Amino acid sequence: MWPTGSTGIRVTLVAGLLLFTLHLFPQESALERQLKLPGSSIKASRALGEVSKLTGYLFTYDSRIINPDRIFAVPAAEMKLQEILDSVAGDPAIKSAVLGRHIILYRETAMPPRPEPPADSLPVFLSIGGKIVDAENSEPLPYATIGIRHRGKGTVTNFNGDFVLRISEENLFDTLTVSYVGYVNRLLPVRSLPGNVMTITMDRDFIPIPEIIIRAQDPLMIIRKTISAVASNYGTTPAMLTGFYREGVYRKKEPQVYSEAVVKIYKSPYARSLQNDQIKVIRSRKIENLEAKDTLAVRLKAGLSATLSLDGMRHLFDFLDPESFNTYEYHLTDIVTIDGQTAYVISFRQKSWVTEPLMQGDIYVNVDNYSVVLAEFEVNPLYVDQTGESFISRLPRDYSMKPEYVRYRARYRLVDGRYYLAHVRGDLGFSARGRKRVFSSPFNVFFELAITEHSTENAVRFDHEELAPVYSIFSQTISGYDEGFWKDFDFLKPEEDLVEALGKLKVRLGEFNE
């Protein structure tokens, strides 16, 4: 369990397809609309801006296929919107699709032709990817949830808002969903994405809720209903999850140890069950930037175990446990949209008379079915220094550490009426100082699990010899760096600064350039 009980922390941590064709009636109406652009010639970038002003539509496209400086002639008469978009692109291979208030410009990539495959052949995969940003300020949206609608497949964006997802031919006519707290869900036809690296904008969704409505709600009653609805929301049958796990230790912003793995997780039922969750490592690799002269080598304790503990609906968080209600204050602070759902935001923090390090943060609870869709919390900064060395391997005797922050995040994704674990992350910041040293060294440690696929079929427990040593130091269970690590598995796209840092170590990063 992470953190350990010795710290005094009282928290237990932590079908049909919806087919999008590109010839729906609303789209035909929009693209047939007659518009008049100013002047006798115009730049592509200005033309798109004028279309947005005249119609209210926003554009999503791969900046590599649209030349903003392209100039084309404007007729004296009005022209159809489709004709304007054809002139902007200057390439008949670039298609247009209208979804909601967005127009998508893309180059369609077909699956590679192949003869009738043998019955036992493996599927052909394509990679899709892009960047998720705020529509108003273009700021990246970290940890946005990406999924194939009605299928147990998805990922999350990294801290830079980037994502990569591998799809098979059967996914081409499905729909990609993008969700983020407080934003309107985005839907995109999957077949518009292969071969294109889209910058996908997200619109904020403001819910005007009178303050009197928020005040009338009892947050503890909401939490009690949440606890009673766990089994119905998260499932009474086991599931098999596939996920991408990574963890890292940074010293002065330089990676010391970086490890990652593709894992299978047997997720036991959320109803009362004596079964525990299990993890099996499919592929793993690590990179170490340690030299013999390094006397201070920090490693994360039991990161795999921590990811299981952070499933707060399976292992009830302390702040959701009725036995702990008297140690916390709860307030309903907002109502937001998340994953196309309306959710209460319940903020909590320890009561003033409690002096041990408890958690504080926000829980997002669906207003209709009382499911927790997101929890973001941290150890109370006033008492975080009491957590000691609970999160890392033992430091050398002549070193001491001072924790500065401990933060967690757990996110769930709704697929066909059932919620599945989607993403968990933990971050720890601390400084280490030798007894004879004037200055301390800053460290940042993190672990992260993104669930990329899940299924309730053939969900059977692993044999004992297959189990990962979840309570061990993960990086010490890996032998080295495997250049063929990814194969056909999904992974979390690394952040730009991580790629840059690992590049300095002369690590081959072919897999990172998807």
Side-chain angles (χ1 to χ4, degrees):
M1 194 67 64
W2 192 65
T4 62
S6 62
T7 66
I9 296 180
R10 297 175 56 194
V11 169
T12 303
L13 280 178
V14 300
L17 297 176
L18 177 61
L19 300 181
F20 267 101
T21 65
L22 304 187
H23 303 285
L24 298 177
F25 177 76
Q27 173 179 315
E28 290 180 347
S29 301
L31 298 180
E32 291 293 316
R33 182 173 174 177
Q34 298 282 340
L35 299 175
K36 178 69 176 75
L37 297 181
S40 57
S41 63
I42 192 171
K43 277 188 177 183
S45 57
R46 188 185 173 196
L48 294 180
E50 291 292 333
V51 170
S52 290
K53 283 194 284 185
L54 292 171
T55 66
Y57 284 111
L58 302 176
F59 289 93
T60 298
Y61 57 88
D62 184 342
S63 59
R64 300 173 304 177
I65 67 173
I66 301 295
N67 178 7
D69 295 324
R70 171 182 168 78
I71 298 177
F72 61 92
V74 176
E78 292 182 336
M79 56 194 302
K80 293 180 180 180
L81 174 54
Q82 182 64 71
E83 295 174 346
I84 295 175
L85 299 181
D86 290 342
S87 298
V88 166
D91 183 350
I94 295 177
K95 309 294 184 182
S96 305
V98 179
L99 290 176
R101 60 190 292 258
H102 295 265
I103 297 178
I104 305 168
L105 304 178
Y106 65 97
R107 179 178 286 114
E108 191 169 71
T109 301
M111 296 295 288
R114 55 185 178 129
E116 188 67 26
D120 59 349
S121 66
L122 296 175
V124 176
F125 287 92
L126 289 176
S127 288
I128 60 177
K131 190 179 191 72
I132 312 301
V133 302
D134 182 289
E136 293 183 5
N137 56 29
S138 297
E139 288 294 316
L141 298 179
Y143 316 131
T145 302
I146 313 295
I148 303 296
R149 194 166 188 173
H150 297 303
R151 290 183 177 267
K153 189 170 182 62
T155 187
V156 297
T157 58
N158 64 15
F159 193 74
N160 301 137
D162 301 314
F163 76 94
V164 173
L165 188 65
R166 299 188 194 277
I167 63 166
S168 60
E169 189 170 7
E170 65 181 0
N171 301 138
L172 271 180
F173 292 94
D174 209 325
T175 308
L176 189 83
T177 65
V178 185
S179 65
Y180 198 80
V181 177
Y183 287 75
V184 180
N185 268 20
R186 281 297 306 271
L187 303 176
L188 296 95
V190 172
R191 68 176 186 172
S192 70
L193 298 171
N196 301 280
V197 182
M198 302 285 197
T199 296
I200 301 170
T201 57
M202 300 285 286
D203 300 315
R204 290 185 178 273
D205 192 8
F206 297 98
I207 303 179
I209 304 294
E211 186 178 354
I212 189 171
I213 294 180
I214 293 181
R215 288 181 176 177
Q217 299 293 331
D218 181 358
L220 286 181
M221 183 184 69
I222 294 172
I223 294 176
R224 291 183 189 276
K225 289 182 178 180
T226 295
I227 297 170
S228 64
V230 166
S232 59
N233 283 326
Y234 301 90
T236 57
T237 57
M240 189 64 67
L241 312 182
T242 303
F244 179 81
Y245 173 81
R246 63 176 181 170
E247 65 178 46
V249 177
Y250 286 76
R251 182 181 185 183
K252 298 180 180 179
K253 298 184 179 181
E254 292 294 327
Q256 272 200 324
V257 180
Y258 178 77
S259 308
E260 51 196 12
V262 173
V263 298
K264 290 281 188 180
I265 301 174
Y266 172 84
K267 179 58 68 174
S268 55
Y270 284 78
R272 293 183 179 180
S273 173
L274 297 178
Q275 291 185 340
N276 62 322
D277 297 342
Q278 296 178 314
I279 294 184
K280 174 183 177 181
V281 175
I282 305 300
R283 304 192 64 81
S284 61
R285 66 177 183 176
K286 71 175 177 182
I287 302 160
E288 290 193 344
N289 183 26
L290 300 173
E291 301 178 5
K293 64 181 181 180
D294 287 322
T295 58
L296 182 57
V298 172
R299 295 179 185 272
L300 176 68
K301 276 185 182 177
L304 285 178
S305 173
T307 62
L308 297 181
S309 299
L310 277 170
D311 182 357
M313 297 295 96
R314 178 70 179 86
H315 308 278
L316 199 62
F317 292 131
D318 179 70
F319 47 80
L320 294 180
D321 188 344
E323 294 185 1
S324 300
F325 284 172
N326 66 328
T327 60
Y328 286 97
E329 295 177 351
Y330 300 87
H331 299 279
L332 182 59
T333 56
D334 203 354
I335 297 180
V336 300
T337 56
I338 177 171
D339 201 11
Q341 311 160 63
T342 305
Y344 298 116
V345 183
I346 299 177
S347 299
F348 62 93
R349 63 185 307 126
Q350 66 191 77
K351 292 184 176 179
S352 58
W353 57 265
V354 180
T355 57
E356 59 184 306
L358 300 185
M359 296 294 173
Q360 64 181 38
D362 298 307
I363 320 162
Y364 297 77
V365 181
N366 183 294
V367 301
D368 297 315
N369 58 28
Y370 295 97
S371 60
V372 171
V373 290
L374 173 65
E376 295 178 313
F377 53 100
E378 64 177 345
V379 176
N380 189 332
L382 294 176
Y383 306 107
V384 69
D385 56 353
Q386 296 182 26
T387 58
E389 299 176 12
S390 306
F391 312 97
I392 61 171
S393 60
R394 186 180 299 276
L395 292 174
R397 290 185 177 180
D398 58 339
Y399 274 88
S400 62
M401 70 165 288
K402 180 182 179 182
E404 296 173 351
Y405 60 83
V406 181
R407 299 168 184 153
Y408 301 104
R409 185 180 197 274
R411 175 78 157 86
Y412 297 86
R413 177 174 170 239
L414 177 64
V415 179
D416 289 342
R418 178 171 173 175
Y419 288 84
Y420 295 88
L421 186 67
H423 178 238
V424 297
R425 183 178 171 103
D427 289 273
L428 163 68
F430 68 94
S431 58
R433 180 179 176 182
R435 292 177 182 172
K436 298 182 179 180
R437 298 181 181 240
V438 176
F439 301 105
S440 58
S441 296
F443 282 85
N444 300 94
V445 181
F446 79 93
F447 69 88
E448 186 168 27
L449 172 69
I451 301 302
T452 56
E453 202 160 352
H454 54 73
S455 174
T456 55
E457 297 180 5
N458 302 318
V460 296
R461 295 177 66 80
F462 303 125
D463 294 334
H464 181 74
E465 59 270 17
E466 297 179 294
L467 297 180
V470 295
Y471 295 104
S472 300
I473 297 173
F474 179 66
S475 62
Q476 292 183 341
T477 67
I478 304 174
S479 58
Y481 186 89
D482 177 5
E483 295 177 14
F485 176 75
W486 305 119
K487 293 190 178 295
D488 289 329
F489 292 108
D490 281 301
F491 60 93
L492 233 175
K493 190 170 183 180
E495 286 79 8
E496 296 167 5
D497 58 348
L498 175 59
V499 173
E500 181 180 356
L502 295 179
K504 294 177 181 178
L505 305 180
K506 303 187 184 303
V507 172
R508 294 187 181 184
L509 298 176
E511 298 93 339
F512 290 172
N513 296 325
E514 296 288 341

